[in-house]
Amino acid sequence: MEIIFVPIDYKRVRIKNFKSLENVEIGLEKLNVIVGPNGSGKTNLFEAFLFAKSTVRPSIYPPYPFSYWWGYKNMVYMHDISRNVEFGVSGEVKTREGVLQSFSYSLAVNGAGEKLRIIEERLDGGSFRITRMGSELKVYLHKREVSSYEILDLRYSVFNLFAYPAKVFDEERGKWRLVLQANVGLLNGPPQVLVELDEQSIDALVELYGRLFSDVYLLKFSSDRARTPSVPGSIIGIDGYGLFSVLQEMYSGVGPEKKPEGFLDYFLDRFNIRLRFQNTEFQTVLMKLVEDGLEVEPQGIPDGYLKAMAVLYLLDLKPSLLLVDELENHMHLKLIEHVISAFRASETKVLATTHSPLVIDLAKPEELILLYKRGRSTEARRTENPEALKAELAERGITLSESWLYGSLSDEI
Amino acid sequence: MKSIQIISEDIYGCDFFKEVAHRINREVRVFCNSAQAWSPKRGRIFAASNADLVIVCIDADARDPEEVEREQLKIIKRSARSEQDVEKRLKIVVFSYEAEEWIIASMKLKISGDKPSEVLRGKMGYEKKDLPKYAPHLDFNVLREMSVRSFIEFEKAVKDP
Ligand SMILES: Nc1ncnc2c1ncn2[C@@H]1O[C@H](COP(=O)(O)OP(=O)(O)OP(=O)(O)O)[C@@H](O)[C@H]1O
Ligand SMILES: [Mg+2]
């Protein structure tokens, strides 16, 4: 039996100076529905995770996480390049044995002159800690300094400065050790960090080192991008480009009689859809869809189907956190009900932005994050008393979306 | 042909109830939408629907089923077209815990106070989205013999909408 294993629980995030998010802190529930008027900062909140992910887990080397925004200036609050952009997250990491360990991680970045510099960074996992200030990096165990380094290139986060960590058993002492290999081109100091720790803490740190932010997936879907034939072996992009390639990979060698297993299979089965792939003369993959025996060309595939497939494909990868900007786009109520049911049935935490009453009415008041602007800055809040609000809405026969658009929830802000 | 609108908490419930309903009565059209248990949206769906019968499914999760039914009724009535319409077209089906209790009963499993879905998860790695897969295999005779109230009421409503 496959065990659903979602190792990181992202519980709280704090963002500073990222676009309109001058200083925002939010707790994350299993499902989080981000609402707010146009320009209130929903997409900015989504993009802040993209920024953190591309800094910690760069997709290009040397790392340059500002390109999505055409430079640091556009990304920092009020274009004030003297400010640092900060992102902090805390939560729990779960080992394969099911042990929970709390952790926190934060970083502060500056990009004045369009040069990336990580100014501060801190990784805290129980009794183990790495801190960094400017070019100085220190490793602590039980609050005692055990190693110190000089950082030679400020563009790299601790996840790059040290190679993937290992757990080794010290036969002589009969104890477990965590070993981190220093990346010699980037760090000046001892070749490795060696600390004696209990086995469970080591397991938790190994998971954290391997997964933090790489298990956060983002989707800001564009149907045109998703239906563009893509190169075999591509991964799916934030805009959905590469969908055909990843689906081909997922379904290649699988006959039409495959039993429904994942969320995407369930969807295909429910809407009676089969996928057919074709390699083009330009070395790309295109996908056709077979609906009740009718073969539909890429241009004819409904946008909503492509969107649902992209969302459910990502959910099947079992990320710890999935963010979807403008969830409702392209989807009729039937599909919205479908993907929200899948979100709730999954182990993944989901953060979705929306304007849609259809989405809001499938949420609970405590799942809403209300965004609004105060001056230039985005403020975020949860509903103050969700149980009282439920009772009030039931009493008055008012839906959650109506309350948000015209009623008590609009008064609250 | 008569029609039934079902309201369930998610699409897995919808797919499950639709299939069970069709096994009970081939001669009905069944629609289903999902809505949160507490949500006034349930009342809106009831008021807007033109189906001959609206079946509202609700999990009591070990709470007092009568109280749960009263709460649902209040939510529906608040938006209903009229008192008579509620009497004529509404059927509230309350599960002691949740829909999975039909599977447990049909398989004659013991649950002794545990959540049915948890029992199934432990026994066969059950996940929420597996629910509809069980619809074709439910043994209605066993459910009747064991007097599973939610099932008997559901069956009665679907037989004669
Ligand atoms: N560098 C910046 N500093 C401060 N504010 C910024 C910066 N860049 C963008 N903004 C603000 O963010 C707003 C856009 O926010 P965002 O795109 O997150 O809105 P949204 O809530 O997603 O809106 P919509 O619902 O229309 O998609 C801009 O209108 C601008 O006011
Ligand atoms: Mg936006």
Side-chain angles (χ1 to χ4, degrees):
Chain A
M1 193 82 40
E2 194 194 1
I3 296 162
I4 299 176
F5 183 62
V6 174
I8 299 185
D9 185 358
Y10 295 87
K11 289 197 147 139
R12 287 199 83 72
V13 295
R14 176 166 206 160
I15 299 154
K16 282 191 181 169
N17 297 323
F18 182 85
K19 295 180 86 179
S20 61
L21 311 173
E22 188 186 14
N23 187 359
V24 165
E25 189 172 352
I26 52 171
L28 298 179
E29 301 291 318
K30 173 70 176 71
L31 176 63
N32 304 273
V33 177
I34 319 290
V35 297
N38 295 115
S40 57
K42 300 182 295 298
T43 301
N44 297 346
L45 178 62
F46 170 92
E47 288 177 5
F49 284 83
L50 177 64
F51 157 73
K53 181 174 177 171
S54 40
T55 307
V56 172
R57 307 288 182 185
S59 51
I60 46 156
Y61 287 94
Y64 187 73
F66 311 138
S67 45
Y68 187 89
W69 298 273
W70 298 21
Y72 186 71
K73 187 167 172 286
N74 301 316
M75 212 189 75
V76 66
Y77 179 70
M78 295 308 289
H79 303 176
D80 177 0
I81 57 171
S82 70
R83 294 184 187 226
N84 299 334
V85 172
E86 296 179 31
F87 194 101
V89 58
S90 60
E92 276 178 342
V93 55
K94 184 161 78 186
T95 67
R96 274 175 200 281
E97 283 69 44
V99 178
L100 291 177
Q101 160 104 60
S102 38
F103 76 90
S104 65
Y105 173 78
S106 61
L107 87 172
V109 161
N110 194 284
E114 300 309 329
K115 273 173 61 189
L116 166 64
R117 276 166 300 131
I118 299 178
I119 306 289
E120 276 182 52
E121 201 179 12
R122 181 181 170 118
L123 174 69
D124 236 304
S127 43
F128 182 83
R129 173 182 303 161
I130 299 178
T131 61
R132 148 199 207 153
M133 276 284 213
S135 61
E136 192 179 74
L137 182 148
K138 293 191 159 152
V139 182
Y140 297 87
L141 187 67
H142 304 295
K143 301 197 170 122
R144 282 202 2 252
E145 186 184 317
V146 288
S147 313
S148 92
Y149 289 90
E150 183 198 355
I151 303 169
L152 303 174
D153 191 331
L154 295 180
R155 292 175 295 187
Y156 292 88
S157 82
V158 295
F159 295 90
N160 284 135
L161 296 176
F162 293 98
Y164 191 78
K167 167 181 152 185
V168 283
F169 191 66
D170 184 336
E171 298 280 355
E172 264 171 44
R173 293 176 49 88
K175 298 243 166 86
W176 286 101
R177 286 173 153 196
L178 172 72
V179 185
L180 293 174
Q181 301 294 341
N183 198 329
V184 288
L186 303 174
L187 283 176
N188 218 342
Q192 51 182 214
V193 173
L194 253 172
V195 288
E196 216 163 76
L197 261 173
D198 61 289
E199 194 183 355
Q200 279 144 7
S201 300
I202 297 178
D203 288 343
L205 282 162
V206 170
E207 291 293 348
L208 199 61
Y209 237 90
R211 295 179 194 261
L212 190 75
F213 289 116
S214 48
D215 64 1
V216 175
Y217 293 174
L218 298 110
L219 184 68
K220 188 179 180 180
F221 183 82
S222 147
S223 60
D224 289 338
R225 293 284 291 154
R227 80 170 83 246
T228 307
S230 48
V231 187
S234 318
I235 54 166
I236 188 168
I238 182 172
D239 55 7
Y241 175 76
L243 181 67
F244 290 172
S245 302
V246 295
L247 293 183
Q248 182 188 40
E249 194 144 302
M250 184 173 235
Y251 287 98
S252 62
V254 177
E257 295 314 317
K258 186 172 178 263
K259 279 264 162 284
E261 294 289 348
F263 291 108
L264 180 56
D265 292 317
Y266 191 102
F267 166 79
L268 297 175
D269 215 52
R270 192 168 187 245
F271 289 84
N272 207 356
I273 299 166
R274 300 269 164 248
L275 306 178
R276 198 163 283 169
F277 299 94
Q278 194 178 315
N279 293 307
T280 70
E281 56 190 301
F282 309 107
Q283 312 296 317
T284 54
V285 183
L286 65 78
M287 187 177 85
K288 294 176 180 177
L289 186 145
V290 186
E291 248 177 330
D292 285 331
L294 176 71
E295 189 174 272
V296 183
E297 297 292 313
Q299 289 308 325
I301 302 177
D303 289 344
Y305 282 6
L306 287 172
K307 171 80 176 267
M309 283 190 247
V311 171
L312 298 171
Y313 167 79
L314 290 172
L315 199 61
D316 276 334
L317 299 179
K318 302 188 168 85
S320 298
L321 182 63
L322 172 64
L323 295 101
V324 185
D325 196 24
E326 306 204 354
L327 178 66
E328 75 275 15
N329 273 3
H330 306 300
M331 295 198 290
H332 176 263
L333 176 64
K334 287 277 167 208
L335 281 187
I336 292 175
E337 288 184 359
H338 191 111
V339 297
I340 289 186
S341 295
F343 289 162
R344 291 191 189 284
S346 74
E347 301 281 306
T348 297
K349 274 195 170 177
V350 176
L351 205 145
T353 76
T354 190
H355 289 293
S356 166
L358 300 180
V359 174
I360 295 170
D361 285 331
L362 288 166
K364 305 179 180 111
E366 58 268 34
E367 291 169 337
L368 291 189
I369 296 177
L370 310 159
L371 294 190
Y372 56 101
K373 275 275 193 62
R374 177 167 293 160
R376 287 291 180 179
S377 314
T378 292
E379 309 255 327
R381 71 148 63 174
R382 296 261 181 195
T383 57
E384 263 154 31
N385 191 341
E387 289 311 314
L389 180 64
K390 280 184 199 170
E392 180 201 315
L393 297 183
E395 187 69 37
R396 298 196 184 153
I398 295 165
T399 63
L400 191 56
S401 62
E402 288 164 344
S403 171
W404 171 63
L405 290 167
Y406 322 110
S408 344
L409 281 182
S410 70
D411 304 340
E412 269 190 35
I413 52 180
Chain B
M1 203 189 275
K2 294 245 177 145
S3 59
I4 299 176
Q5 165 78 46
I6 295 175
I7 303 175
S8 166
E9 275 209 45
D10 60 27
I11 62 143
Y12 307 112
C14 277
D15 292 356
F16 176 73
F17 294 128
K18 269 172 128 170
E19 178 139 5
V20 174
H22 274 137
R23 281 186 58 198
I24 294 167
N25 186 350
R26 289 246 138 254
E27 300 299 305
V28 283
R29 288 197 302 155
V30 186
F31 309 98
C32 186
N33 283 96
S34 61
Q36 289 280 305
W38 63 275
S39 173
K41 198 81 187 176
R42 292 193 161 208
R44 298 298 172 92
I45 297 171
F46 175 72
S49 167
N50 286 325
D52 297 291
L53 175 71
V54 178
I55 301 180
V56 173
C57 296
I58 176 86
D59 299 344
D61 259 318
R63 287 175 58 209
D64 172 18
E66 275 163 27
E67 192 186 323
V68 171
E69 181 164 355
R70 274 197 300 278
E71 285 171 8
Q72 282 290 295
L73 188 60
K74 202 170 139 194
I75 289 173
I76 309 276
K77 275 192 176 165
R78 191 67 188 75
S79 301
R81 302 173 193 172
S82 68
E83 193 79 28
Q84 299 89 296
D85 193 41
V86 173
E87 261 152 50
K88 204 176 121 227
R89 289 197 308 138
L90 178 70
K91 175 70 207 165
I92 299 175
V93 173
V94 185
F95 295 87
S96 314
Y97 284 88
E98 52 187 349
E100 283 83 353
E101 65 205 41
W102 290 2
I103 304 171
I104 295 280
S106 165
M107 292 168 84
K108 299 187 170 164
L109 297 171
K110 295 253 180 308
I111 63 160
S112 61
D114 301 321
K115 236 175 120 93
S117 55
E118 289 303 317
V119 174
L120 292 172
R121 182 196 287 269
K123 278 212 176 346
M124 42 250 257
Y126 174 85
E127 291 173 32
K128 196 87 216 166
K129 69 176 178 319
D130 297 334
L131 178 59
K133 285 193 221 158
Y134 288 86
H137 308 294
L138 286 181
D139 189 334
F140 293 172
N141 287 325
V142 174
L143 290 168
R144 287 181 207 117
E145 278 161 28
M146 293 179 69
S147 327
V148 178
R149 194 175 128 189
S150 50
F151 178 77
I152 291 167
E153 290 188 0
F154 185 85
E155 185 180 36
K156 192 167 154 244
V158 172
K159 264 195 179 141
D160 182 21

